[in-house]
Amino acid sequence: MDSFEINKIVASILLIALLFIGIGKISDLIFHVDKPETDGYKVELPESTTTGEISETKIGTIENVDIASLLALGDIGHGEKVFKKCSACHVVEKGGANKIGPALYGVLGRKVAAKDDYKYSQALADYSKEWTFEEMNGYLKKPQAWIKGTKMSFAGLRKEKDRASVILYLNKYSDNPLPLP
């Protein structure tokens, strides 16, 4: 192939590119549409009810979950399998010793950061709530987003069935399991 053939190929590619750009500019002139000064509708966002420790991800997502429906997805046997991820740092057996994280026997229904023999992060120590099904669901989804400043570096459980199963599994390990909703 000689240079004349290469020049024809390059020229045809440039001509096609210019043709597309030109057609776009001409169509913008012919079919010009003015944007309206005001939006057609306004989107209302819920007001943030964060206290500095709770992430804005709580609003409209986990906080409004029907916990009874969520727990219906769970299975204690599946929760035991999923909890193996947690067992590197936590134990659930009665009288179990703290590991990297606190022992979780009887965790549901008790105040957050209530174990005297474990040094919690300041964020958890200041968090003045109890471990309800809803709180545990939010915390297990993404601990760092639910309670800002927690030492727990676990990424979280994204699947609803996994969270529900772990919650049911944790509830089983208690002298007084919480009644299911």
Side-chain angles (χ1 to χ4, degrees), residues 101-153:
L104 297 178
Y105 184 82
V107 68
L108 283 165
R110 79 175 179 219
K111 188 178 179 313
V112 174
K115 289 190 63 77
D116 294 332
D117 59 343
Y118 185 78
K119 183 168 173 40
Y120 292 94
S121 63
Q122 192 61 45
L124 277 173
D126 292 343
Y127 199 72
S128 60
K129 293 189 178 184
E130 286 188 359
W131 285 120
T132 61
F133 294 125
E134 292 85 357
E135 283 294 321
M136 188 61 74
N137 180 47
Y139 192 71
L140 288 176
K141 183 168 186 182
K142 194 165 189 177
Q144 290 289 335
W146 193 257
I147 301 175
K148 296 275 188 202
T150 182
K151 291 190 300 187
M152 187 163 155
S153 61

Side-chain angles (χ1 to χ4, degrees):
M1 190 182 296
D2 63 353
S3 64
F4 183 68
E5 291 293 322
I6 294 173
N7 284 343
K8 287 194 309 187
I9 293 171
V10 170
S12 63
I13 292 171
L14 288 174
L15 182 64
I16 290 172
L18 286 173
L19 187 63
F20 276 110
I21 292 171
I23 289 173
K25 294 291 183 183
I26 291 171
S27 66
D28 284 344
L29 291 173
I30 294 172
F31 302 106
H32 180 72
V33 177
D34 292 322
K35 292 184 179 179
E37 291 180 21
T38 60
D39 294 332
Y41 56 89
K42 187 173 182 174
V43 176
E44 295 289 330
L45 297 175
E47 290 201 23
S48 174
T49 59
T50 61
T51 62
E53 299 159 340
I54 303 171
S55 170
E56 289 183 15
T57 58
K58 276 180 84 169
I59 300 171
T61 55
I62 294 181
E63 194 171 78
N64 297 328
V65 167
D66 179 14
I67 200 67
S69 299
L70 179 79
L71 291 177
L73 298 172
D75 171 48
I76 292 176
H78 181 68
E80 185 175 7
K81 290 177 188 172
V82 175
F83 188 80
K84 288 182 181 179
K85 297 177 186 179
C86 312
S87 64
C89 300
H90 299 281
V91 294
V92 292
E93 289 78 23
K94 186 172 187 172
N98 296 325
K99 289 179 153 184
I100 295 171
L104 297 178
Y105 184 82
V107 68
L108 283 165
R110 79 175 179 219
K111 188 178 179 313
V112 174
K115 289 190 63 77
D116 294 332
D117 59 343
Y118 185 78
K119 183 168 173 40
Y120 292 94
S121 63
Q122 192 61 45
L124 277 173
D126 292 343
Y127 199 72
S128 60
K129 293 189 178 184
E130 286 188 359
W131 285 120
T132 61
F133 294 125
E134 292 85 357
E135 283 294 321
M136 188 61 74
N137 180 47
Y139 192 71
L140 288 176
K141 183 168 186 182
K142 194 165 189 177
Q144 290 289 335
W146 193 257
I147 301 175
K148 296 275 188 202
T150 182
K151 291 190 300 187
M152 187 163 155
S153 61
F154 182 62
L157 300 171
R158 288 188 292 173
K159 294 180 183 175
E160 289 180 341
K161 180 178 181 179
D162 290 350
R163 289 194 312 271
S165 298
V166 168
I167 291 168
L168 291 174
Y169 180 71
L170 289 173
N171 193 42
K172 172 185 160 185
Y173 283 93
S174 175
D175 290 332
N176 299 312
L178 293 179
L180 297 178

